[in-house]
Amino acid sequence: MNNYIESNKERFLEELFSLMRIPSVSSDPDRKDDMRKCADRWVELLLSSGADNATVLPTKGNPVVYGEKMISPELPTVLIYSHYDVMPAAPLELWKTSPFEPVVKDGKIWGRGADDDKGQAMIQAKAFETVVKNGELKCNVKFLFEGEEEIGSPSLEKFCIENKELLKSDIILVSDTGMVAEDVPSITTGLRGLCYWQIEVTGPSHDLHSGIYGGGVANPINELCKMIAQMTNSDGKITVPGFYDDVVNVSYEERKLMSKVPFDENKYMTELNVKALTGEKGYSTTERTTIRPSFDVCGIWGGYTQDGAKTVLPSKAYAKISTRIVPGQDSEKIAKLVADYIKKVAPQYIDVKVEYLHGGESYLCPIDLPAYKAAEAAVEKVFNKKPVPVRRGGSIPIVASFEKILGVKSILLGFGLESDDIHAPNENFQVSMFEKGIKTVVEFYKEFSK
Amino acid sequence: MNNYIESNKERFLEELFSLMRIPSVSSDPDRKDDMRKCADRWVELLLSSGADNATVLPTKGNPVVYGEKMISPELPTVLIYSHYDVMPAAPLELWKTSPFEPVVKDGKIWGRGADDDKGQAMIQAKAFETVVKNGELKCNVKFLFEGEEEIGSPSLEKFCIENKELLKSDIILVSDTGMVAEDVPSITTGLRGLCYWQIEVTGPSHDLHSGIYGGGVANPINELCKMIAQMTNSDGKITVPGFYDDVVNVSYEERKLMSKVPFDENKYMTELNVKALTGEKGYSTTERTTIRPSFDVCGIWGGYTQDGAKTVLPSKAYAKISTRIVPGQDSEKIAKLVADYIKKVAPQYIDVKVEYLHGGESYLCPIDLPAYKAAEAAVEKVFNKKPVPVRRGGSIPIVASFEKILGVKSILLGFGLESDDIHAPNENFQVSMFEKGIKTVVEFYKEFSK
């Protein structure tokens, strides 16, 4: 097995690069052609990796890539889920290499999608290829790669509902998460959910001279700041009434276990270059970023934002705000609670529109599932350490939907590292993790088919 | 006199258009050539209007245009001050006509600078021309048009200090203000001052994934909003300690007089399309916008601001904030107070930079000055009503500097109307006010030289 990977690894990287060169940014409406190009490229790659058939299937949004190798209806089926879309590269000026011209440097693959999720999807494709080419595949394999994960998978639920038979499987394998560290291997057992809104505040119907009108007319930026400021309090709690009502509190025992996973606060602060950490009172940084909800303004804009000084009292101000939610919380309910709250606290002298852009539920995986045990054994074999089960702060909303619609649990076996800077400038993926990932998934097939 | 204006008014407009077509946006470093082009055009126009000489004089920033017609050292001298720079046109999409392609429509001149201040400067030039061509000039006239008014006149104080003799005069005439209404003529007797800062908040050193880090690391936009929110309170007061200490409170008698100037609150709200007004408790809208300080965020930006949803915890957030200040307050003192306060309230887990971009003092003109009396009589003659003295909320910081450096008072005889939308999209200037302005300044020369 290792021979096959060793002698083909340059080609594996080249194939990954061919995907990364396609700027499949799902949030950019001008990238529709690139989405299709990336999906078509995946069809070629799945076929050359050993799939019996692979095709692009339409959805109401970007198409999904489906591929399969069905050995026998008697054997269990693994459904591999990933996504071929990526986050926007902005702000471009902060990239040290060009985001869509991948390179290997200092033992890392650099470029948008290197990890999230083209690199990790390629791990799945190349592990599958290795098992097939070695004649060792003993289960059915299906691939489902969507093109809208980074915008909240708006079409995939409907696709799952309409294609239950096609997607029938025993376990779903998802490589879209990370490990604590290369020497602290881990498997993700919990994910946060997400709600994302855009707020538009309108003051006067047109931009005004701040000298002539300043003090007499509400300024939409001043007001937006006040509204955002009052959504959290000095204890780091979200102040929206009812927000925490359904949160399932994590037991003392589980929190104690969590605290044993290595976490170097000084290193964390050094990497982020911050002088201090903050967050919800009564919780550790690990807890704040995994088992507790959070509130972040992801973007804000309004008025004059160019060079120099323009004395304007603007007409409009905007913000993109998001919360991460945790097991127990329902995204639709939170979406409404927050929107209602914003409208309630908005003063009568401004107009406020709240648009719910997307959301998704949190997820929990039991660690006594046979497929989890198989993943655990596979990781231990390659990393020489038993992986720790960890909860993660990110969201893969579709994982909760798979359970609801297809009735199938997912194993979150991912190979990213904190330093990969996914969603940010200079996204990268460690070549060693890419290779270990392929080996681990190969081992997973063996363990799973025992 | 009226004959000359009547038979030349088409040419007057054409000459104004020739200035408006030059995008002399002083805050845009790419417009340096246009600044010079506009200054050169003014030299041509001043000479053709009757100045004996006119020239472009260097400053450390954009040059000033100087022109003069000296009849006799025995006669008093009027110094005309205006500016040839304009505000940026952004946001361009809200303009109904092209900002730098002036047109006359519905009795108004449309385009950037139509009023502020190319239109008003042209009133001065063409009134001067009319008096000269009719052989009626009985005083010396000097012109001083600067190219940096809209960015706070950073070079003009030094120019005044170095050119005291050149600028020697008995009164300064400034047309950069407005009237209450065409049928409520007024002369501005007070102006607010200004302070303008840019704030830069840094959280983590690079953009982060809001799922992985959200809740554990300070978000610079969340924090910037909190800092801005706490700069004013629910009474509409600015909370910076010491901010109001030096404000000279306006007497009950003057406030009573002010309240008699017609102000239609419903019309005001309708024009701005707001459902309610707000501001400092205990003061009327007119007072809030003229004799009281104000605090406005002129611009804010940070994080992801394009289409769709990017789940990012950004590294940086920025705001441009300003206060209008009133007689008694010193801009340098306020600049420091506010910067110190921002740094004081900034939590330790973020970095905050406060840059003071510019500022200027407020101004008060006594209404018993002979030159004020001359202006009052001139307005009455053309508008058939005695003008009311009013305070204005805008700032012309250099007016306070003229008094300090040159020891000369300014008369703020301006012809703009509220509906002119200066500094905003669709700036315009009523043709009737343009013509009445020329006639009024012609009358001013007669009254002043009596």
Side-chain angles (χ1 to χ4, degrees):
Chain A
M1 171 270 271
N2 284 357
N3 277 353
Y4 186 81
I5 296 170
E6 195 55 41
S7 51
N8 287 283
K9 67 183 188 185
E10 290 305 318
R11 175 174 57 82
F12 291 175
L13 281 177
E14 256 321 307
E15 288 176 2
L16 169 58
F17 286 6
S18 72
L19 289 162
M20 289 172 66
R21 286 191 193 104
I22 306 167
S24 49
V25 178
S26 49
S27 64
D28 183 346
D30 293 341
R31 293 293 186 192
K32 284 283 165 220
D33 287 353
D34 288 314
M35 299 313 298
R36 178 69 201 207
K37 227 169 115 183
C38 195
D40 288 341
R41 178 64 184 139
W42 260 123
V43 167
E44 292 171 9
L45 286 170
L46 288 179
L47 290 173
S48 68
S49 300
D52 293 333
N53 55 68
T55 184
V56 173
L57 294 174
T59 73
K60 66 181 157 70
N62 294 325
V64 304
V65 176
Y66 176 81
E68 61 177 26
K69 183 166 186 78
M70 301 302 288
I71 297 179
S72 157
E74 309 298 307
L75 288 171
T77 302
V78 176
L79 173 64
I80 313 278
Y81 163 81
S82 179
H83 60 93
Y84 65 86
D85 63 324
V86 292
M87 274 282 164
L92 285 175
E93 67 277 14
L94 297 183
W95 283 79
K96 286 170 200 154
T97 65
S98 184
F100 300 108
E101 291 169 19
V103 287
V104 170
K105 214 185 132 186
D106 303 329
K108 292 172 168 196
I109 305 156
W110 299 87
R112 177 56 86 227
D115 167 340
D116 181 17
D117 201 40
K118 291 173 176 173
Q120 300 227 40
M122 191 55 83
I123 284 175
Q124 292 295 341
K126 296 300 112 177
F128 167 74
E129 177 184 317
T130 303
V131 178
V132 169
K133 298 289 157 86
N134 288 342
E136 291 171 351
L137 189 67
K138 290 183 185 121
C139 62
N140 304 308
V141 178
K142 296 179 176 178
F143 291 92
L144 173 68
F145 292 174
E146 70 156 317
E148 300 182 323
E149 197 271 343
E150 300 294 10
I151 52 169
S153 306
S155 315
L156 197 59
E157 282 208 359
K158 189 159 175 275
F159 182 86
C160 289
I161 291 166
E162 291 170 354
N163 293 279
K164 280 188 192 174
E165 192 52 38
L166 184 75
L167 302 176
K168 206 176 162 188
S169 57
D170 297 278
I171 195 72
I172 300 172
L173 200 54
V174 176
S175 285
D176 197 13
T177 51
M179 289 196 172
V180 174
E182 194 164 4
D183 58 350
V184 188
S186 59
I187 299 175
T188 301
T189 56
L191 291 166
R192 292 195 287 189
L194 170 76
C195 296
Y196 200 110
W197 304 260
Q198 182 160 320
I199 309 177
E200 176 184 340
V201 179
T202 307
S205 54
H206 52 285
D207 286 4
L208 302 176
H209 187 293
S210 72
I212 298 172
Y213 294 91
V217 181
N219 178 316
I221 307 180
N222 292 33
E223 299 302 327
L224 176 61
C225 288
K226 286 195 183 227
M227 288 161 61
I228 289 171
Q230 65 188 287
M231 293 190 70
T232 52
N233 66 19
S234 57
D235 285 343
K237 298 263 181 206
I238 294 157
T239 53
V240 177
F243 186 87
Y244 293 98
D245 281 4
D246 302 326
V247 170
V248 176
N249 283 314
V250 176
S251 70
Y252 173 75
E253 288 69 28
E254 190 171 345
R255 289 178 68 186
K256 217 171 153 186
L257 260 177
M258 286 182 71
S259 72
K260 289 186 181 154
V261 176
F263 177 74
D264 183 338
E265 199 161 276
N266 283 326
K267 195 177 151 221
Y268 188 82
M269 287 198 289
T270 304
E271 269 170 14
L272 303 178
N273 196 24
V274 293
K275 279 173 290 192
L277 296 172
T278 182
E280 191 181 358
K281 213 173 155 178
Y283 294 91
S284 70
T285 297
T286 301
E287 291 171 340
R288 287 166 175 171
T289 54
T290 57
I291 61 167
R292 298 299 298 171
S294 61
F295 172 80
D296 275 293
V297 186
C298 297
I300 195 165
W301 69 103
Y304 186 70
T305 59
Q306 297 169 45
D307 267 357
K310 184 180 175 187
T311 50
V312 65
L313 194 168
S315 168
K316 302 255 187 196
Y318 302 84
K320 291 179 193 273
I321 65 168
S322 72
T323 62
R324 297 285 163 169
I325 56 174
V326 297
Q329 291 181 298
D330 176 72
S331 66
E332 292 294 328
K333 187 175 167 188
I334 295 296
K336 195 177 170 321
L337 276 182
V338 170
D340 288 352
Y341 180 72
I342 292 170
K343 282 177 205 151
K344 204 194 101 197
V345 300
Q348 56 157 342
Y349 39 79
I350 53 165
D351 268 319
V352 175
K353 268 190 227 164
V354 183
E355 189 189 353
Y356 183 53
L357 295 190
H358 74 85
E361 310 307 333
S362 57
Y363 176 71
L364 266 183
C365 172
I367 59 174
D368 52 4
L369 267 190
Y372 181 84
K373 294 283 176 200
E376 192 176 53
V379 172
E380 189 170 1
K381 213 158 187 179
V382 175
F383 287 81
N384 297 315
K385 265 186 196 174
K386 189 174 171 178
V388 283
V390 294
R391 298 235 205 156
R392 286 292 184 178
S395 310
I396 315 176
I398 196 63
V399 170
S401 306
F402 286 151
E403 187 168 11
K404 198 174 66 187
I405 299 164
L406 305 175
V408 183
K409 279 280 183 190
S410 297
I411 305 294
L412 304 167
L413 180 59
F415 304 93
L417 295 177
E418 202 174 283
S419 55
D420 291 358
D421 285 336
I422 65 169
H423 290 208
N426 304 308
E427 179 175 348
N428 65 85
F429 196 27
Q430 219 162 281
V431 175
S432 60
M433 290 302 281
F434 179 68
E435 292 174 11
K436 281 182 182 163
I438 297 171
K439 290 173 189 169
T440 303
V441 177
V442 168
E443 293 297 335
F444 171 80
Y445 281 113
K446 290 187 195 166
E447 295 290 334
F448 181 69
S449 307
K450 261 184 187 168
Chain B
M1 170 271 272
N2 286 355
N3 275 354
Y4 185 81
I5 297 170
E6 193 55 40
S7 51
N8 287 283
K9 68 183 187 186
E10 290 305 319
R11 175 174 58 82
F12 291 175
L13 282 177
E14 257 319 309
E15 288 176 2
L16 170 56
F17 285 7
S18 73
L19 289 162
M20 290 171 65
R21 285 191 195 105
I22 306 167
S24 49
V25 178
S26 49
S27 64
D28 184 347
D30 294 340
R31 293 294 186 193
K32 285 281 165 222
D33 287 352
D34 287 314
M35 300 312 297
R36 179 68 202 208
K37 226 170 119 183
C38 196
D40 287 341
R41 178 65 186 139
W42 260 123
V43 167
E44 292 172 9
L45 285 169
L46 288 179
L47 289 173
S48 68
S49 301
D52 292 334
N53 56 67
T55 185
V56 174
L57 295 174
T59 73
K60 66 181 157 73
N62 294 326
V64 304
V65 176
Y66 177 81
E68 61 176 27
K69 184 167 186 76
M70 302 303 289
I71 298 180
S72 156
E74 310 297 309
L75 288 171
T77 300
V78 176
L79 173 64
I80 313 278
Y81 164 79
S82 180
H83 60 93
Y84 66 86
D85 64 323
V86 293
M87 274 281 163
L92 284 176
E93 66 277 15
L94 296 183
W95 282 81
K96 286 170 200 155
T97 64
S98 185
F100 300 109
E101 292 169 18
V103 287
V104 170
K105 216 186 132 187
D106 304 328
K108 292 172 167 193
I109 305 156
W110 298 88
R112 179 56 87 227
D115 165 341
D116 182 18
D117 204 41
K118 290 172 176 174
Q120 299 226 42
M122 192 54 82
I123 284 175
Q124 293 295 341
K126 296 299 113 177
F128 167 74
E129 176 183 316
T130 303
V131 177
V132 170
K133 298 291 156 86
N134 286 343
E136 291 172 352
L137 189 69
K138 291 184 182 116
C139 62
N140 303 308
V141 178
K142 295 178 175 178
F143 291 92
L144 173 68
F145 292 173
E146 71 156 315
E148 300 183 323
E149 197 272 342
E150 300 294 10
I151 52 169
S153 306
S155 314
L156 197 59
E157 281 207 0
K158 188 158 175 276
F159 182 87
C160 289
I161 291 166
E162 291 170 353
N163 292 278
K164 280 189 192 174
E165 192 54 37
L166 184 75
L167 301 176
K168 203 176 165 189
S169 57
D170 298 276
I171 194 75
I172 300 172
L173 200 54
V174 176
S175 284
D176 197 14
T177 51
M179 289 196 170
V180 174
E182 193 164 5
D183 58 350
V184 187
S186 59
I187 298 174
T188 300
T189 56
L191 292 166
R192 292 196 285 189
L194 170 78
C195 297
Y196 200 110
W197 304 260
Q198 182 160 320
I199 309 177
E200 176 183 340
V201 179
T202 307
S205 54
H206 52 286
D207 286 3
L208 302 176
H209 187 292
S210 72
I212 297 171
Y213 294 90
V217 181
N219 178 317
I221 308 181
N222 291 32
E223 299 303 327
L224 176 60
C225 288
K226 286 195 184 229
M227 288 162 61
I228 288 173
Q230 66 188 289
M231 294 191 69
T232 52
N233 65 19
S234 57
D235 285 343
K237 298 262 183 208
I238 295 156
T239 53
V240 177
F243 187 87
Y244 292 98
D245 282 3
D246 301 328
V247 170
V248 175
N249 284 314
V250 176
S251 69
Y252 174 74
E253 288 69 27
E254 190 171 345
R255 289 179 67 186
K256 216 169 154 186
L257 260 178
M258 285 181 72
S259 73
K260 288 186 180 154
V261 176
F263 177 73
D264 184 337
E265 199 161 277
N266 283 326
K267 196 177 150 221
Y268 188 82
M269 287 198 288
T270 303
E271 270 170 11
L272 303 179
N273 196 25
V274 294
K275 279 174 290 191
L277 296 173
T278 184
E280 191 182 358
K281 215 173 153 178
Y283 294 91
S284 70
T285 297
T286 301
E287 290 170 342
R288 287 165 175 172
T289 54
T290 57
I291 61 167
R292 299 297 300 171
S294 61
F295 172 79
D296 275 292
V297 185
C298 297
I300 194 163
W301 69 104
Y304 185 69
T305 59
Q306 296 169 47
D307 267 357
K310 185 181 176 187
T311 49
V312 65
L313 193 169
S315 167
K316 301 254 187 196
Y318 301 84
K320 291 179 192 273
I321 65 168
S322 71
T323 62
R324 297 286 164 168
I325 55 174
V326 297
Q329 291 181 297
D330 176 72
S331 65
E332 292 293 329
K333 187 174 168 188
I334 294 294
K336 195 176 171 320
L337 276 182
V338 170
D340 287 351
Y341 180 72
I342 292 170
K343 281 176 207 152
K344 204 193 100 197
V345 299
Q348 57 158 340
Y349 39 79
I350 52 166
D351 268 320
V352 175
K353 268 191 228 163
V354 183
E355 189 190 353
Y356 183 54
L357 295 190
H358 75 85
E361 310 306 334
S362 58
Y363 175 71
L364 267 183
C365 172
I367 59 174
D368 52 3
L369 268 190
Y372 181 84
K373 294 284 178 198
E376 188 175 56
V379 171
E380 189 169 3
K381 214 160 185 177
V382 174
F383 287 80
N384 297 314
K385 266 186 195 173
K386 190 174 169 177
V388 285
V390 293
R391 297 235 206 157
R392 287 292 185 178
S395 310
I396 314 177
I398 196 64
V399 169
S401 305
F402 286 151
E403 188 168 9
K404 197 174 68 188
I405 300 164
L406 306 176
V408 184
K409 279 280 184 188
S410 297
I411 305 293
L412 304 167
L413 180 60
F415 302 94
L417 294 177
E418 201 175 282
S419 55
D420 291 358
D421 285 337
I422 65 170
H423 289 208
N426 304 307
E427 179 175 349
N428 65 85
F429 196 26
Q430 218 161 281
V431 176
S432 60
M433 290 301 283
F434 179 68
E435 292 174 10
K436 280 181 182 164
I438 297 172
K439 289 173 189 169
T440 302
V441 178
V442 169
E443 292 298 333
F444 171 80
Y445 281 113
K446 290 186 194 167
E447 294 291 333
F448 181 70
S449 308
K450 259 183 187 170

